[in-house]
Amino acid sequence: EMAAPILLLRLLALLPASLCFQLAPQQRSLGPAWAPRAGAALAQAEADPGGGDDDGLSLGDELASQLRQALGSMEKEELRASDERVLDSMVDERKQAFNAVQGDLADAASKLQDELESRLEAELTSVKAEAMAKIDAAVDKLRASAAAAEPAAA
C-alpha cells in the first residue's frame, strides 16, 4: 500500500528542481526547505510502510495528482531529459545485475575449466603409463626372443 508513495518520492528525485516546485505549489513558501521534507517523507515511508494517516487523500494520491499536473505542463525537452534519466537509471541497474551474473558465470567457468584440465591431465598420465607398460612388455618380449634365438644360431 505504501509502495506507491515511496516510488513517487523516488521519482521526484529524478525530476528537475524547477518541476519539483511546480509539483507542490503549497510548499513554495518553504523554498529550498521543501526538499529535505520530501527526503524525510521518503525515509519515513520506507521505515514505516504500514504507517500514515487515512484522512482522505494519502501522500501517494496527493503526489500522484501533483505529478500528473506537473507532467502535463512540462516542456518536451524537460520530459525527454527526465525520460533519459529514468532510462539511464534502469540501464545502469540492469548493467550492474548483468555484471554480477557475468562475474558469477566467469568464476564458475574458470572452476570448471580447472577441473576439466585436472581430469584430462590425470587421464593423460594414465594413458602414458599404460602405453609405457605395453612398450616395456613388448621390448622385454623382443629381448627374450632375441636371447633365445642367439644360442640356437650358435
Side-chain angles (χ1 to χ4, degrees):
E1 186 79 19
M2 285 299 290
I6 293 171
L7 179 63
L8 287 171
L9 288 170
R10 286 186 178 149
L11 181 61
L12 285 175
L14 297 173
L15 297 174
S18 61
L19 180 62
C20 289
F21 287 106
Q22 292 174 12
L23 283 174
Q26 68 273 16
Q27 269 78 13
R28 279 189 197 155
S29 61
L30 295 175
W34 183 71
R37 286 188 57 204
L42 174 60
Q44 180 182 3
E46 288 178 333
D48 185 18
D53 51 351
D54 294 332
D55 58 346
L57 290 179
S58 71
L59 175 63
D61 294 336
E62 182 181 339
L63 285 174
S65 171
Q66 292 175 3
L67 182 60
R68 277 192 294 277
Q69 290 172 358
L71 287 175
S73 67
M74 281 181 70
E75 294 179 17
K76 296 246 186 239
E77 289 299 318
E78 286 184 76
L79 284 171
R80 186 177 8 252
S82 177
D83 289 346
E84 285 177 10
R85 285 190 299 275
V86 170
L87 290 174
D88 287 346
S89 175
M90 289 172 50
V91 167
D92 289 342
E93 287 176 11
R94 297 296 179 215
K95 279 182 182 178
Q96 289 174 355
F98 175 76
N99 287 341
V101 170
Q102 185 181 23
D104 292 344
L105 287 175
D107 291 344
S110 176
K111 287 178 184 176
L112 182 61
Q113 181 179 358
D114 292 344
E115 183 179 321
L116 286 173
E117 287 175 357
S118 173
R119 285 183 186 176
L120 285 174
E121 187 67 33
E123 186 68 26
L124 183 59
T125 302
S126 171
V127 168
K128 279 183 182 179
E130 188 177 315
M132 291 304 290
K134 286 181 181 180
I135 291 172
D136 288 344
V139 167
D140 290 342
K141 189 175 182 180
L142 283 174
R143 284 184 185 159
S145 67
E150 274 184 26

